[in-house]
Amino acid sequence: MSSSPVSLRSRVILLTGPSGSGKSSLATRARLPVLALDDFYKACDDPSLPALPSGAGTDWDAPGSWNADAALAAVAALCADGAADTPVYDIATSSVTGRTRLDLGGAPVFVAEGIFAAEIAGRCRELGLLADALCLRGRPTTTARRRFVRDLREGRKSVPFLVRRGWNLMRAERAIVARQTALGCHPCGRDEALERIAAAVTPATPLPRVPAEA
């Protein structure tokens, strides 16, 4: 890993995992500033959006539906400057509805969480921005239940869409975790994730080795 830039003010903990794995609630429990990486989804009129294999709509679970370059730029700005302007994204309408200012308030570590966080793990490591990279994992059935309840409560998409997506994601969950692990994220449960986050905040405590990129 390259050395951290001289002007670095903070480092990032990337937190990923299947949709519904508990990333947002764990990030809140960590009591650190949080960058919501799901706000970097592309808008529904973006011509580069990937289509479902059936051709019936956009594949919002494919990395191509997410703007990795913009997300990385925001992470880099937060690490260097301690603040950054970020988009506000509405999943129900698949559109950016505004901008907001995230200020780390001098925090030496912050969490960037989202289902595509692993996609920028390698570049964050190369730039010296990475404090840790974690992938939450659990039982696929539990993840599916949490995801459906959350998406239904928040009115993210139609019920038929949520049922189809939920079934497909439950079947693919182990493959999703395997991919995120291969991209450099450490697979773990909630308790271990909190321990590693606490270790990252305490410079004197060495972090367990993060798996290298595949």
Side-chain angles (χ1 to χ4, degrees):
M1 185 175 72
S2 61
S3 59
S4 299
V6 174
S7 60
L8 199 68
R9 296 187 181 185
S10 185
R11 297 172 73 205
V12 65
I13 298 171
L14 295 176
L15 179 61
T16 191
S19 175
S21 58
K23 299 179 296 296
S24 297
S25 58
L26 187 140
T28 300
R29 288 189 60 183
R31 299 188 177 183
L32 292 172
V34 177
L35 173 64
L37 293 176
D38 285 355
D39 282 329
F40 292 89
Y41 265 111
K42 296 175 182 177
C44 59
D45 58 354
D46 192 311
S48 68
L49 283 171
L52 290 165
S54 65
T58 297
D59 186 355
W60 294 106
D61 295 299
S65 67
W66 187 68
N67 193 331
D69 291 338
L72 179 64
V75 168
L78 286 167
C79 289
D81 304 325
D85 292 322
T86 64
V88 177
Y89 192 89
D90 180 42
I91 292 179
T93 60
S94 304
S95 62
V96 176
T97 59
R99 304 283 295 180
T100 188
R101 183 76 170 172
L102 177 58
D103 192 321
L104 301 183
V109 178
F110 68 98
V111 175
E113 65 90 6
I115 63 172
F116 298 125
E119 303 298 320
I120 60 173
R123 286 190 282 174
C124 284
R125 183 176 289 108
E126 291 171 1
L127 293 170
L129 309 178
L130 196 64
D132 205 355
L134 308 173
C135 172
L136 283 183
R137 64 178 179 184
R139 292 179 180 273
T141 52
T142 301
T143 304
R145 176 179 54 79
R146 289 173 177 167
R147 178 174 54 243
F148 183 74
V149 170
R150 178 203 64 194
D151 292 351
L152 193 63
R153 181 181 66 246
E154 297 179 2
R156 292 191 171 193
K157 300 292 180 182
S158 68
V159 173
F161 177 92
L162 295 179
V163 171
R164 288 194 305 272
R165 176 177 182 253
W167 173 250
N168 290 334
L169 287 178
M170 185 175 69
R171 296 177 62 192
E173 180 156 330
R174 289 186 174 85
I176 292 170
V177 171
R179 171 182 166 79
Q180 293 170 344
T181 300
L183 288 171
C185 296
H186 175 73
C188 56
R190 179 193 61 187
D191 292 343
E192 184 183 353
L194 288 171
E195 290 174 359
R196 289 180 68 109
I197 290 171
V201 177
T202 307
T205 305
L207 283 169
R209 183 177 177 83
V210 177
E213 291 179 84

